[in-house]
Amino acid sequence: MKRSFVIPVSILIFFGLLAAGAWLYMKTAMHGFSARAKPSRTETMLATYARNTAMPSSAKQMKNPVRLSPDVLHEAMAHFADHCAVCHGNNGSGNTMFGNGMYPKPPDLRFSRTQDLTDGEIFYIIENGIRMSGMPAFGGADTADQSWKLVYFIRHLPRLTPAEEAQMESLNPKSPDEFREEQEERNFLNGEAESPQPQTATHHH
């Protein structure tokens, strides 16, 4: 009696997996694996579950050993603007060129999905990254102090002011063209003449 019950259940599971595989194959054949696509609710749920379960219990209990101060927060803000904002944005929204091209997209760090994590969990993610995502591991021999400071700034993101965000824009990495434009603007405001443009030599034949 027991055996006759197990066999049909096994068959149902087999055909269920077969149907799921066929659906995934058809979806991939039609749309491909594009990083532009928005993850489904199921994918998001599974990714969040995987992130949470991959976190060691010891990480959840870790306390921030760095004392919070205005200088610490400012240092972390500058570091975030220079190293993290290219994907996460200055305001933590993740709405950037690189962020929008990732799959899964970077989470909005201002929302509960991140803010509800403990300080130790945020620190662990910064140091160790998240597998199968765009979040690399930044941990090294002497990075712990800076990572703990970043935890404070991530906590501050929901209260980021327009003035702070504008200050961060000046700290973002610049391309050569952007750097040149800013230098020319500073020269103009200071009343300095523009640097002479190199002239192409004229050849007479």
Side-chain angles (χ1 to χ4, degrees), residues 25-45:
Y25 174 80
M26 291 178 63
K27 183 178 179 181
T28 303
M30 292 176 62
H31 304 289
F33 282 119
S34 173
R36 295 177 180 272
K38 182 179 179 180
S40 66
R41 179 176 296 183
T42 302
E43 287 179 288
T44 302
M45 181 183 67

Side-chain angles (χ1 to χ4, degrees), residues 66-97:
V66 177
R67 182 184 294 273
L68 179 61
S69 70
D71 288 342
V72 164
L73 193 61
H74 185 271
E75 180 185 340
M77 182 179 74
H79 185 92
F80 190 95
D82 188 39
H83 294 80
C84 312
V86 66
C87 293
H88 290 286
N90 288 324
N91 61 3
S93 67
N95 186 23
T96 67
M97 182 182 72

Side-chain angles (χ1 to χ4, degrees), residues 114-161:
T114 297
Q115 294 297 323
D116 286 350
L117 296 173
T118 68
D119 287 354
E121 288 174 318
I122 297 175
F123 171 82
Y124 184 88
I125 291 172
I126 296 171
E127 287 281 296
N128 297 280
I130 301 175
R131 289 187 179 185
M132 293 181 288
S133 78
M135 180 63 189
F138 288 104
D142 55 354
T143 59
D145 186 69
Q146 187 62 66
S147 294
W148 280 119
K149 292 176 182 178
L150 281 173
V151 172
Y152 280 130
F153 181 71
I154 291 170
R155 292 288 190 216
H156 178 71
L157 281 171
R159 302 182 300 279
L160 191 71
T161 66

